[in-house]
Amino acid sequence: MARTMAVNYGSQTMAEEIKPPVLLSSSAQKTGGETSAAKAASGKAATAKNPEGPVPIPWAAPLVEKYRSQYGSGLEAQTYLGQNYVTVDSSLIPNFLRQLRDDEQFDYCVDITAVHYPKREKQFEVIWILYSFARNERLRVKVHIADGASLPSSVSIWSSTNWLEREVFDMFGIQFVGHPNMTRILLPEGWKGHPLRKDYGILQQDQEWVQINLGIESGQ
Amino acid sequence: MTLSDENAANIVAGTTQDHVSGNDSPKTYLDSNELIINMGPQHPATHGVLRVILKLDGERVLGTECVIGYLHRGVEKIAENRTYAMFNPYVDRMDYVAAVSNGLGYCEAVEKLLNVEAPARAKYIRVILAELNRIASHQLWLGTHALDIGAMTPLFYTFRDREEILKIFEKYCGARLTTHAFRIGGCLYETYAGFEKEVKNFVKFVTPKIDEYEALLTGNRIWMERTKNVGVISGPDCIALGVTGPVLRASGVQWDVRKAQPYAAYSEFEFEIPVGTTGDTYDRYLVRMSEMRQSLRIIEQAVNGLPEGPIMAKVPKVIKPPVGEIYHSIESPKGELGYFIVSDGTTQPYRLRVRPPSFVNLQALDVMVRGLLVADVVAVIGTIDIVLGEVDR
């Protein structure tokens, strides 16, 4: 019983590629058109597969206007469930982050994390979660980068990002250029692979480890 | 005393002038070699499996490096392979001395993603248990922190009183530590008969006990010598390092997620955010002591105003949040605990990120211990209040 369950989980690690939650204004119309076409074609199939929920809407704020006039199409601002996020081109990092800290008082970098979408052309979405004490406001900055691409480090902007960037590197293999110590943080130095990538098989890793270190067949 | 005698005396005392004043004038005494030693990973004062590599000049700390990950279990990867409800017990295993807070944050994050709101009664129960847990966490911190510094008595006092909280947890949900008390959409368990009375009794019981802890330590000469001006960190430094929780507040920044962005039912209660002034170990101790009293205030208000009604919102049997993402954070006893969840519309999270307060706070260790003595490192590790289960996840 336990064995079959474990195998099932393993097979699900390759999660199906999803529609990007970031709907750019042009693609939003496209997906809308697709779902209505799908509905017309075959009743309720589309709604049964993906539960309907709120969709991200464009976020208009003085902050967005200010930077849109500066960066133009390289910046896309949206809000989902009342949470705001800005998707920018990776070339705007770290200048955009520095501006957010210096000019917009986002003085606290809460977290840096990434999400892996293996079927996209730019596989990784890197996310900075920022907070401003003065405005009592949260903001997420997102960047899409390809596998193997690197990003400039933001340690000189917020010291808190030191370990956070190391964790992103450890778990996803994304390099941050200019980081003072770009090494693994949670996993041991000789570890193979980056576990939070979708193509990282947990069972295979376990079996290999047991084989090499214990010399027996893994019970998984 | 001649000059050379003075120097000799200083070397014995370990307080040569250039260290104390911090100026870089060339040393006039025998130079000691730099020494690198490992503290941990098996060390009683590191509160778990934390390895700190210390670079020392005699007894002085020149720098530190933390080696973490010994308790890494990959909870974020596990989350991707479990349904939303199945992952709920796993969060208890991160900060295992504040499991209720972890569960509260997780359930609320998923509820936000589902666009469901827990009923008022469930929110009140959550607040009561989360605040009890905050007191339990602070009691455990106080006992072990004082023990590290050399005061053994507070440990027995705090563990004796923490037991009463664990009894309430056990009666409520059957578990003492890894409680799994809440479910997505509210609470699974209704309060047991006599719950309100027991909580009220506990508040009455523990209020003088907190004074008792303070009587042991606050004016204690040894305690003050060991904690005052030790591990000082300024407010701006805390913000730059992302430090939150009591450590941030002890440095004079009055910020608490419960007030800044209220969740659960916190906007309905009156309480204050205690702050410190100097940001040293002693201030952090005082802040946590006041926090316990504020928690008692919240618990009292919540028990007295506990509304009637359902404890579970209407949540579909199979939890399938719509495509989207959410970041939700709460004030755990250690600081800001956040959950960032990406849903792809299936029963399992596409990505779940935990923003652990202990992990980020531990980064400040290096800033706080530079220039101190080895014995102070123990005090500073204790005062940051880390739980390695949460640092490593």
Side-chain angles (χ1 to χ4, degrees):
Chain A
M1 174 76 187
R3 180 172 291 214
T4 49
M5 276 174 76
V7 170
N8 280 341
Y9 298 143
S11 66
Q12 277 159 1
T13 52
M14 281 286 282
E16 237 177 80
E17 172 60 346
I18 58 162
K19 277 180 197 137
V22 195
L23 295 174
L24 304 176
S25 50
S26 59
S27 61
Q29 287 168 354
K30 214 196 272 171
T31 33
E34 271 172 13
T35 39
S36 61
K39 264 183 196 164
S42 61
K44 56 199 186 289
T47 44
K49 217 170 192 180
N50 278 329
E52 269 181 31
V55 284
I57 50 170
W59 173 45
L63 182 149
V64 179
E65 296 310 316
K66 185 178 160 191
Y67 291 107
R68 182 159 299 142
S69 61
Q70 191 180 342
Y71 295 122
S73 60
L75 183 145
E76 200 71 44
Q78 250 139 359
T79 177
Y80 180 76
L81 293 176
Q83 300 191 341
N84 305 322
Y85 54 86
V86 178
T87 314
V88 298
D89 194 74
S90 58
S91 61
L92 302 185
I93 305 291
N95 286 341
F96 181 59
L97 295 175
R98 194 179 292 278
Q99 277 176 321
L100 284 177
R101 188 201 65 177
D102 292 343
D103 307 337
E104 307 300 331
Q105 295 172 299
F106 283 96
D107 42 6
Y108 165 31
C109 181
V110 182
D111 202 0
I112 300 178
T113 188
V115 187
H116 188 203
Y117 298 98
K119 288 187 185 167
R120 286 190 193 170
E121 189 194 337
K122 289 184 172 177
Q123 290 191 4
F124 292 100
E125 184 175 284
V126 181
I127 301 147
W128 286 260
I129 302 172
L130 309 178
Y131 178 79
S132 161
F133 285 94
R135 306 157 76 116
N136 189 18
E137 217 177 283
R138 288 186 194 282
L139 175 70
R140 290 201 291 270
V141 178
K142 294 186 187 182
V143 159
H144 294 107
I145 57 164
D147 190 12
S150 59
L151 280 169
S153 168
S154 48
V155 173
S156 59
I157 306 173
W158 300 283
S159 346
S160 63
T161 58
N162 188 326
W163 284 16
L164 296 169
E165 282 176 359
R166 278 177 71 187
E167 196 181 337
V168 171
F169 165 70
D170 199 355
M171 296 298 158
F172 292 93
I174 298 167
Q175 292 270 359
F176 289 87
V177 178
H179 187 284
N181 182 21
M182 194 81 264
T183 50
R184 288 187 184 274
I185 184 161
L186 291 176
L187 298 173
E189 269 164 39
W191 197 267
K192 266 193 272 171
H194 302 281
L196 284 179
R197 285 172 178 242
K198 290 287 174 187
D199 48 14
Y200 182 92
I202 32 180
L203 281 183
Q204 177 198 335
Q205 186 80 23
D206 178 76
Q207 281 156 2
E208 196 181 312
W209 189 91
V210 172
Q211 274 272 308
I212 294 169
N213 291 284
L214 305 179
I216 53 168
E217 280 299 316
S218 168
Q220 296 281 343
Chain B
M1 217 170 16
T2 61
L3 189 69
S4 57
D5 282 341
E6 226 172 70
N7 270 339
N10 281 338
I11 291 165
V12 173
T15 52
T16 41
Q17 201 55 46
D18 57 340
H19 282 306
V20 176
S21 60
N23 66 35
D24 296 326
S25 61
K27 293 170 186 171
T28 52
Y29 58 95
L30 287 173
D31 203 355
S32 54
N33 288 323
E34 273 178 14
L35 185 68
I36 299 209
I37 65 160
N38 276 312
M39 191 170 158
Q42 300 297 334
H43 190 286
T46 56
H47 295 227
V49 272
L50 165 70
R51 177 174 159 217
V52 185
I53 302 170
L54 297 168
K55 192 171 155 200
L56 303 172
D57 176 8
E59 277 275 295
R60 293 278 155 186
V61 178
L62 299 176
T64 64
E65 197 192 325
C66 289
V67 181
I68 58 173
Y70 294 96
L71 267 181
H72 180 64
R73 292 146 292 172
V75 292
E76 291 173 17
K77 187 76 177 175
I78 293 171
E80 291 174 11
N81 298 289
R82 296 284 183 276
T83 65
Y84 286 91
M86 281 164 80
F87 183 64
N88 200 349
Y90 283 89
V91 297
D92 291 351
R93 274 85 182 161
M94 294 187 308
D95 182 355
Y96 38 76
V97 303
V100 175
S101 294
N102 297 348
L104 173 64
Y106 175 69
C107 290
E108 286 203 329
V110 180
E111 282 161 18
K112 263 191 169 177
L113 204 54
L114 280 168
N115 226 343
V116 168
E117 204 179 338
R121 187 176 170 81
K123 283 186 182 176
Y124 271 62
I125 295 173
R126 284 176 174 187
V127 167
I128 295 169
L129 294 180
E131 290 307 315
L132 283 174
N133 206 170
R134 186 183 313 276
I135 297 171
S137 170
H138 282 1
Q139 281 175 330
L140 188 134
W141 158 80
L142 179 65
T144 51
H145 179 43
L147 184 69
D148 287 348
I149 292 181
M152 194 177 239
T153 316
L155 180 82
F156 301 117
Y157 281 49
T158 55
F159 272 68
R160 174 196 65 194
D161 304 338
R162 179 170 167 265
E163 194 63 26
E164 300 304 316
I165 299 175
L166 300 185
K167 276 183 194 160
I168 294 175
F169 287 167
E170 190 173 14
K171 266 186 152 179
Y172 176 74
C173 61
R176 289 155 53 87
L177 218 59
T178 47
T179 50
H180 193 203
F182 309 134
R183 299 295 187 275
I184 296 157
C187 304
L188 178 63
Y189 309 110
E190 185 47 89
T191 55
Y192 57 86
F195 172 79
E196 289 163 50
K197 200 171 155 239
E198 270 185 31
V199 173
K200 278 181 194 167
N201 281 346
F202 170 75
V203 173
K204 262 192 219 127
F205 160 81
V206 86
T207 309
K209 303 290 181 197
I210 297 175
D211 299 333
E212 225 170 71
Y213 313 152
E214 285 232 55
L216 282 170
L217 296 171
T218 306
N220 184 323
R221 192 78 214 151
I222 306 169
W223 179 256
M224 285 160 85
E225 290 286 332
R226 286 300 306 275
T227 57
K228 278 204 167 176
N229 290 319
V230 168
V232 181
I233 186 163
S234 69
D237 276 358
C238 279
I239 292 171
L241 281 161
V243 173
T244 47
V247 184
L248 174 70
R249 290 190 281 273
S251 300
V253 181
Q254 194 163 30
W255 187 78
D256 188 313
V257 185
R258 290 175 293 174
K259 281 271 192 206
Q261 302 192 325
Y263 54 93
Y266 280 106
S267 53
E268 296 165 33
F269 306 120
E270 267 179 37
F271 62 100
E272 279 147 36
I273 311 173
V275 286
T277 46
T278 52
D280 61 3
T281 303
Y282 189 70
D283 264 15
R284 287 187 279 276
Y285 154 75
L286 289 179
V287 162
R288 288 197 178 98
M289 298 312 276
S290 327
E291 262 182 30
M292 284 201 242
R293 296 203 176 88
Q294 296 300 328
S295 293
L296 289 175
R297 261 178 86 184
I298 299 172
I299 293 167
E300 219 165 15
Q301 292 170 54
V303 172
N304 288 330
L306 190 63
E308 293 296 318
I311 50 165
M312 197 71 186
K314 278 194 175 165
V315 178
K317 278 227 167 88
V318 178
I319 294 168
K320 265 185 163 183
V323 176
E325 54 175 52
I326 199 87
Y327 177 78
H328 181 67
S329 67
I330 63 154
E331 184 75 24
S332 91
K334 315 287 188 290
E336 180 181 345
L337 171 70
Y339 290 91
F340 176 70
I341 307 177
V342 180
S343 165
D344 58 352
T346 62
T347 55
Q348 298 172 329
Y350 186 74
R351 165 97 175 96
L352 188 144
R353 158 77 183 163
V354 184
R355 190 270 178 199
S358 294
F359 176 80
V360 182
N361 289 3
L362 184 59
Q363 261 192 103
L365 178 72
D366 186 55
V367 177
M368 287 157 90
V369 299
R370 266 172 204 254
L372 298 181
L373 300 173
V374 178
D376 295 329
V377 177
V378 172
V380 174
I381 291 175
T383 191
I384 301 177
D385 191 14
I386 47 161
V387 165
L388 269 299
E390 187 178 65
V391 172
D392 297 340
R393 283 154 291 133

